[in-house]
């Protein structure tokens, strides 16, 4: 039950001992402040890595070709490996049960794009509709490409958000026609991409459309696909290794040739990132626990000192009729009140500091440093419990001292 007289007494005690109250509160506030800052910076590092790997689907596989570096079956090194449409059928037939999304890709870099008086240069890609989840592109206006566009070889495009801003300003690009190297394309969609500015300056058009214009011999630049999410990392890596092996056999490439056909599996990268994140989480947790331990030690020492300093005061209270239970309860309430208030102040200062320096830290690779409220509240509760325990033991001992002994204490 709320006892107004008790709280008036507590506030009077705190106001008469301002220095003691401020020092104990400062220790707690500083511990929570440091805890908040360290956790915030640690989370900022996590956010940085999460953004770095948000550009593409984490189960993506990309297949690129190059030149052979070793002779094989009578063929000389330096031979250019060229993918064609029959490779599309080959990959899908061999790995139908392991592929989730699949798209061949033709890419033209630095093409001139014109809309009325505005012009710029961008990269245009000819892809299947399945390419959208590979790039984690999110449609914000209109639609992405469809298989009907693919079948009709339609001259339609989906453009990145920044392409729209560059060419159309505040106007919507949807339904407008733009000129790409002398050919008119209709904008059917505008997308944004978590990968950032670079990925939002791409233009996508149906694979068959771009191939018909620039690749009359059914050439394909590369392939992108996502493997079945049910595959674990080991099975996903085994899948991509087998895929590379079979493509090398099909194109008569030496099995030890690393340059002719390259398969990049994000599963391997994801595995490394996950391992790093585990280590980072352990480091953050270790730092957080260390900070809390330092705070607990600090508040424990202060509480022991406070109770020792108040021995005479406690003796007087007993002489005036205060029970041991009331004395212990008063000290506990003081401890809990000061710890909770100081912890909240430390939290506010920490959160404000993280927001104030957030932009500055981005220059050091720390993105959006922040800390979940429940984490800091939990840390404050731990300190409150520690302060309560630290105060209870000496308070219990002091409450048992006879008034005459307490009054003679030096």
């Amino acid at each position: 039950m709320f006892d107004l007289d008790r709280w008036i007494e507590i506030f009077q005690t705190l106001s008469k001992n301002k220095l003691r109250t401020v020092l104990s509160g400062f220790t707690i506030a500083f511990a929570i402040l440091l805890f908040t800052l360290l956790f915030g910076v640690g989370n900022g590092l996590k956010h940085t890595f999460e953004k770095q790997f948000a550009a593409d689907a984490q189960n993506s596989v990309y297949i690129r070709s190059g030149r052979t570096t070793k002779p094989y079956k009578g063929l000389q090194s330096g031979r250019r490996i060229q993918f064609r449409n029959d490779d599309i059928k080959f990959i899908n037939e061999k790995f139908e049960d392991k592929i989730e999304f699949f798209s061949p890709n033709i890419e033209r870099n630095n093409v001139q794009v014109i809309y009325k008086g505005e012009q710029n240069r961008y990269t245009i890609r000819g892809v299947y509709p399945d390419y959208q989840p590979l790039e984690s592109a999110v449609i914000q206006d209109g639609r992405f490409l469809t298989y009907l566009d693919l079948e009709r070889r339609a001259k339609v495009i989906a453009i990145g958000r920044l392409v729209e801003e560059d060419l159309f300003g505040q106007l919507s690009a949807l339904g407008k026609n733009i000129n790409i190297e002398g050919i008119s394309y209709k904008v059917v969609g505008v997308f944004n991409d978590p990968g950032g500015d670079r990925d939002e300056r791409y233009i996508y058009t149906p694979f068959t459309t771009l191939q018909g214009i620039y690749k009359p011999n059914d050439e394909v630049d590369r392939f992108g696909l996502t493997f079945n999410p049910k595959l674990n990392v080991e099975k996903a890596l085994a899948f991509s290794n087998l895929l590379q092996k079979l493509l090398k056999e099909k194109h008569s490439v030496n099995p030890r040739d690393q340059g002719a056909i390259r398969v990049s599996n994000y599963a391997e990268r994801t595995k490394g990132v996950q391992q790093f994140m585990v280590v980072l989480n352990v480091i953050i947790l270790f730092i957080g626990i260390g900070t809390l331990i330092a705070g607990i030690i600090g508040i424990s020492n202060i509480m022991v000192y406070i109770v020792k300093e108040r021995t005479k005061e406690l003796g007087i209270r007993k002489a005036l009729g205060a029970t041991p239970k009331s004395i212990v309860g008063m000290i506990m309430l003081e401890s809990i009140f000061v710890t909770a208030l100081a912890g909240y102040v430390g939290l506010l200062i920490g959160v404000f500091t993280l927001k104030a320096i957030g932009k500055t830290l981005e220059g050091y690779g720390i993105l959006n440093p922040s800390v979940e409220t429940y984490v800091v509240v939990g840390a404050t509760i731990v300190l409150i419990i520690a302060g309560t325990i630290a105060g209870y033991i000496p308070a219990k001992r002091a409450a048992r001292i006879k008034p005459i002994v307490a009054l003679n204490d030096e």
Side-chain angles (χ1 to χ4, degrees):
M1 182 179 294
F2 181 78
D3 189 339
L4 180 59
D5 292 335
R6 170 60 61 86
W7 281 103
I8 291 174
E9 186 179 8
I10 288 173
F11 285 125
Q12 287 176 344
T13 302
L14 294 176
S15 63
K16 289 178 181 178
N17 298 276
K18 295 184 179 63
L19 181 60
R20 183 180 69 197
T21 303
V22 170
L23 289 177
S24 58
F26 175 79
T27 302
I28 298 160
F30 183 75
I32 293 298
L33 169 61
L34 188 59
F35 180 88
T36 303
L37 293 178
L38 291 175
F39 248 80
V41 171
N43 283 335
L45 288 172
K46 289 170 62 177
H47 296 155
T48 300
F49 276 90
E50 286 169 357
K51 182 179 179 180
Q52 289 293 325
F53 297 101
D56 303 303
Q58 295 306 296
N59 59 335
S60 297
V61 176
Y62 290 96
I63 308 164
R64 298 172 175 84
S65 64
R67 294 186 179 276
T68 59
T69 58
K70 299 178 184 295
Y72 188 65
K73 292 184 178 180
L75 300 171
Q76 297 296 317
S77 61
R79 177 169 51 97
R80 175 73 185 179
I81 301 300
Q82 178 62 62
F83 293 136
R84 299 187 187 277
N85 285 354
D86 63 325
D87 291 302
I88 299 175
K89 183 179 179 181
F90 176 81
I91 294 172
N92 280 287
E93 287 181 349
K94 291 290 184 181
F95 299 99
E96 182 179 5
D97 61 327
K98 291 183 173 61
I99 293 176
E100 181 186 27
F101 298 109
F102 175 83
S103 175
N105 188 325
I106 293 173
E107 187 170 293
R108 296 277 294 179
N109 297 312
N110 200 35
V111 297
Q112 187 178 48
V113 181
I114 302 172
Y115 176 72
K116 294 184 177 179
E118 300 294 333
Q119 62 177 308
N120 211 328
R121 291 187 176 272
Y122 304 98
T123 295
I124 183 171
R125 288 174 172 173
V127 298
Y128 279 11
D130 276 2
Y131 199 75
Q132 182 185 353
L134 267 76
E135 287 291 319
S136 300
V138 179
I139 294 296
Q140 70 176 35
D141 200 8
R143 63 174 176 84
F144 198 66
L145 310 174
T146 67
Y147 278 96
L148 186 60
D149 296 331
L150 204 68
E151 182 181 338
R152 293 177 174 177
R153 299 192 176 191
K155 291 182 175 61
V156 296
I157 54 174
I159 65 176
R161 178 182 61 86
L162 295 182
V163 176
E164 181 183 46
E165 287 186 10
D166 291 346
L167 298 179
F168 296 87
Q170 300 299 315
L171 300 176
S172 171
L174 200 63
K176 306 293 195 307
N177 286 80
I178 63 177
N179 185 295
I180 302 178
E181 293 193 329
I183 299 174
S184 179
Y185 293 80
K186 183 178 181 180
V187 179
V188 296
V190 180
F191 65 88
N192 56 60
D193 195 300
D197 291 0
R198 181 174 177 272
D199 288 349
E200 291 183 340
R201 282 197 163 90
Y202 285 125
I203 297 174
Y204 294 117
T205 195
F207 170 79
T208 50
T209 303
L210 210 62
Q211 188 182 56
I213 297 172
Y214 297 108
K215 305 285 186 180
N217 296 318
D218 292 342
E219 296 175 353
V220 179
D221 291 340
R222 63 173 183 166
F223 300 101
L225 59 91
T226 59
F227 55 80
N228 191 324
K230 295 180 180 179
L231 298 179
N232 59 31
V233 173
E234 287 70 23
K235 289 183 179 179
L237 292 174
F239 152 66
S240 61
N241 290 336
L242 179 59
L243 173 59
Q244 185 177 43
K245 177 184 176 183
L246 293 181
L247 283 173
K248 284 183 176 181
E249 290 176 357
K250 182 177 184 296
H251 289 272
S252 299
V253 174
N254 190 308
R256 295 187 298 276
D257 192 329
Q258 301 300 315
I261 296 177
R262 302 181 297 277
V263 177
S264 304
N265 192 333
Y266 279 32
E268 189 168 7
R269 184 182 72 170
T270 301
K271 182 179 180 181
V273 173
Q274 289 174 344
Q275 291 173 343
F276 176 82
M277 294 302 287
V278 169
V279 173
L280 183 59
N281 283 330
V282 170
I283 293 174
I284 293 173
L285 182 61
F286 179 79
I287 292 173
I289 292 175
T291 305
L292 281 183
I293 290 175
I296 290 171
I297 293 173
I299 190 173
S300 298
N301 289 335
I302 288 175
M303 288 306 300
V304 171
Y305 173 75
I306 288 175
V307 174
K308 177 67 176 175
E309 186 186 45
R310 297 175 65 182
T311 300
K312 282 189 176 182
E313 175 195 334
L314 299 179
I316 294 173
R317 289 179 182 275
K318 286 194 71 176
L320 294 174
T323 63
K325 182 179 178 180
S326 66
I327 291 174
V328 172
M330 180 187 64
I331 294 176
M332 293 301 95
L333 281 176
E334 285 183 22
S335 173
I336 292 172
F337 175 74
V338 173
T339 305
L341 181 61
Y344 182 69
V345 171
L347 168 61
L348 289 180
I349 296 174
V351 171
F352 177 79
T353 303
L354 287 175
K355 287 184 178 180
I357 65 175
K359 291 294 183 182
T360 304
L361 292 178
E362 286 183 10
Y364 298 93
I366 300 173
L367 182 65
N368 186 25
S370 59
V371 61
E372 296 82 358
T373 303
Y374 74 88
V375 173
V376 184
V377 170
T380 305
I381 291 174
V382 169
L383 284 182
I384 291 174
I385 294 173
T388 303
I389 295 173
Y392 176 79
I393 297 174
K396 188 71 175 178
R397 187 181 302 116
R400 290 175 181 169
I401 299 176
K402 295 179 179 180
I404 189 65
V405 176
L407 292 172
N408 290 327
D409 182 71
E410 294 297 335

